[in-house]
Amino acid sequence: MPGKPPAEIDLTPTLVHALLAEQHPDLAGLPVRWVAHGWDNATFRLGEDLAVRLPRRASAAPLVEHEQRWLGVLAALCPVPVPAPVRTGRPGATFPWAWSVVPWFIGRHAADEPVAARTPWAGTLAEALAALHAPAPAEAPVNPVRGGSLAGRSAALAERLAGGHLDRVLPDARARAEALWRDALAAPAWPGPPLWLHGDPHPANLLTHDGRLAALLDFGDLTAGDPACDLATAWLTFDATGRAVFQARSDALADAAGPPDPGRWRRAAGWALIMASAMVTHGDDDPVIAAIGEHALRDLLAG
């Protein structure tokens, strides 16, 4: 089973120091330490208050450019902090892609806390996503796997189901998933204009501190489209209790902003199935991501 794509460049503190010395010498004296390698980007902490974010592979490089162009706009919309770049890095001889210096937020990933402990900030996450879900300009980034027509993801889901990966999580998962997918495809489409989307608000991209939601992280999947895509986090992040809080607050805010959207949660469940099935299928070397997918699949398909 394929796992996390390999890095195409060896990303080290030495490389980060060299990039800073060349382009932001006033920051080059700060200590640098590796924090995380995600699917697309690596993060190094820079001093106490900053971090450096670099793409691990060529296909991820445009995502950093999208963040550099648009996160300042979204930070102004969102009531929860987002890592809008405070400095930008240019491609050069030692590193061929754009990179960013971003704020460092204190906290821990929501994926590292018990699911039940997330309920107290479920309403806050609903408010943050609702604030982001403003009409997007025509030049917003296009993401082929987020926010568009669910039908466009049918082939990917069929391949995952045929591989039997979901049946390891829940007996008869394939039949249950196919029924859920048919219902999601039959739901009324999003009736409004394309809205800004985070694109990937699962609990490993949510930061908490002292029992509250402290930041939304990793906007690499930033795009515009159907807001139900982001609402998939109802299953990825919460249990039934937290999901009820999140859904009620999301409904109140979305219904007040309009337009009426009777298919909202059926489409959101379809997006959750797409995301969770990918996490389970490709999560062999990332147990945190695999666990998020397994939790969501159980909640989606057990009922």
Side-chain angles (χ1 to χ4, degrees):
M1 183 192 305
K4 184 186 297 182
E8 296 171 6
I9 291 180
D10 187 20
L11 301 177
T12 66
T14 300
L15 173 63
V16 173
H17 271 301
L19 293 172
L20 291 169
E22 177 186 11
Q23 299 188 33
H24 299 285
D26 60 313
L27 302 179
L30 296 174
V32 174
R33 65 179 177 88
W34 171 82
V35 176
H37 287 303
W39 278 60
D40 293 322
N41 299 284
T43 301
F44 293 81
R45 190 168 182 178
L46 177 62
E48 291 298 314
D49 302 319
L50 299 171
V52 178
R53 181 169 163 84
L54 309 95
R56 300 173 65 244
R57 51 200 181 109
S59 62
L63 309 182
V64 171
E65 295 173 5
H66 294 160
E67 291 178 348
Q68 290 178 347
R69 180 175 181 186
W70 294 110
L71 275 194
V73 174
L74 298 187
L77 296 173
C78 189
V80 173
V82 303
V86 297
R87 305 280 184 95
T88 59
R90 305 179 307 275
T94 56
F95 190 72
W97 309 309
W99 51 279
S100 300
V101 179
V102 301
W104 176 264
F105 299 125
I106 300 298
R108 65 172 181 165
H109 293 110
D112 295 330
E113 66 183 15
V115 175
R118 304 169 191 168
T119 295
W121 46 264
T124 305
L125 179 59
E127 291 163 4
L129 294 177
L132 287 178
H133 292 166
E139 61 269 27
V142 175
N143 186 327
V145 299
R146 292 288 190 269
S149 168
L150 277 172
R153 306 302 298 143
S154 291
L157 179 63
E159 181 178 355
R160 295 167 194 162
L161 294 178
H165 307 301
L166 276 65
D167 290 319
R168 299 181 307 168
V169 178
L170 199 70
D172 198 26
R174 180 170 183 171
R176 294 168 185 243
E178 288 172 342
L180 186 154
W181 189 246
R182 288 192 297 270
D183 184 70
L185 292 179
W190 164 240
L195 304 185
W196 278 118
L197 306 178
H198 177 284
D200 207 22
H202 59 68
N205 288 337
L206 306 174
L207 197 73
T208 66
H209 185 59
D210 289 341
R212 60 182 177 82
L213 183 65
L216 304 187
L217 305 178
D218 197 345
F219 281 74
D221 278 314
L222 173 68
T223 190
D226 178 3
C229 180
D230 277 352
L231 300 184
T233 197
W235 289 272
L236 296 166
T237 302
F238 301 112
D239 60 15
T241 301
R243 188 159 49 253
V245 174
F246 176 81
Q247 289 178 314
R249 188 60 180 145
S250 296
D251 280 342
L253 294 167
D255 290 345
D261 184 12
R264 177 182 301 139
W265 294 109
R266 293 164 65 190
R267 298 192 315 277
W271 280 111
L273 178 60
I274 281 292
M275 296 175 193
S277 64
M279 291 172 168
V280 169
T281 300
H282 303 297
D284 267 7
D285 61 353
D286 196 331
V288 172
I289 291 298
I292 294 169
E294 291 172 5
H295 161 76
L297 287 173
R298 291 190 185 100
D299 275 22
L300 279 165
L301 303 181

